[in-house]
């Protein structure tokens, strides 16, 4: 794995589509730490957390691993205080409503329902 760019004394944010075993993302966090990042976060859409994932996250230098609730996460949040969840249910509900009513879904890119 090769780090491109300067992260010394900066906040680093790793973005991924899913956090499954978390091997790659935790390895990347170690590289960022070695390169001098002062804080490291991960954000992923789907938190699968299979196998050794939670142990890896617990031992990692992440300040937080932020995921959505596309998969229930309550138990994982109890097991690791680094796991934080963003609720996307209202966004999905509004997307479904708009699709059903023939309205623009792209509108949601600039107008997020709260």
């Amino acid at each position: 794995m090769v780090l491109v760019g300067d992260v010394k004394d900066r906040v680093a944010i790793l973005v991924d589509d899913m956090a499954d075993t978390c091997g790659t993302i935790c390895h990347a966090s170690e590289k960022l730490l070695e390169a001098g990042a002062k804080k490291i976060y991960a954000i992923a859409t789907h938190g699968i957390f299979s196998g050794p994932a939670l142990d890896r996250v617990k031992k990692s230098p992440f300040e937080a691993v932020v995921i959505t609730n596309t998969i229930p996460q309550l138990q994982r949040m109890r097991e690791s205080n680094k796991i934080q969840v963003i609720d996307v249910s209202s966004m999905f509900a509004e997307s479904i409503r708009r699709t059903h009513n023939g309205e623009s879904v792209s509108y949601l890119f600039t107008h997020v329902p709260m």
Side-chain angles (χ1 to χ4, degrees):
M1 182 175 293
V2 176
L3 176 63
V4 178
D6 179 21
V7 296
K8 186 169 175 41
D9 298 324
R10 296 184 182 198
V11 175
I13 302 171
L14 295 167
V15 180
D16 207 346
D17 60 339
M18 66 179 171
D20 189 359
T21 63
C22 296
T24 303
I25 204 160
C26 286
H27 182 67
S29 71
E30 293 292 338
K31 291 287 188 183
L32 290 165
L33 185 66
E34 291 169 11
K38 68 178 181 179
K39 289 186 179 183
I40 306 164
Y41 296 88
I43 186 164
T45 304
H46 310 289
I48 299 166
F49 300 116
S50 63
L54 286 179
D55 285 335
R56 288 176 174 165
V57 168
K58 288 177 193 175
K59 295 174 185 173
S60 74
F62 287 121
E63 296 287 321
V65 176
V66 182
I67 53 170
T68 67
N69 63 339
T70 58
I71 298 171
Q73 299 296 342
L74 187 57
Q75 183 59 37
R76 293 177 182 105
M77 290 172 63
R78 288 181 181 141
E79 293 177 36
S80 174
N81 62 352
K82 291 185 179 185
I83 306 295
Q84 297 180 11
V85 178
I86 296 172
D87 182 10
V88 292
S89 59
S90 63
M91 178 67 77
F92 282 8
E94 183 62 13
S95 297
I96 292 166
R97 188 196 69 74
R98 287 178 164 278
T99 300
H100 178 76
N101 292 330
E103 299 173 29
S104 171
V105 175
S106 60
Y107 172 87
L108 296 175
F109 294 136
T110 55
H111 299 83
V112 178
M114 295 293 166

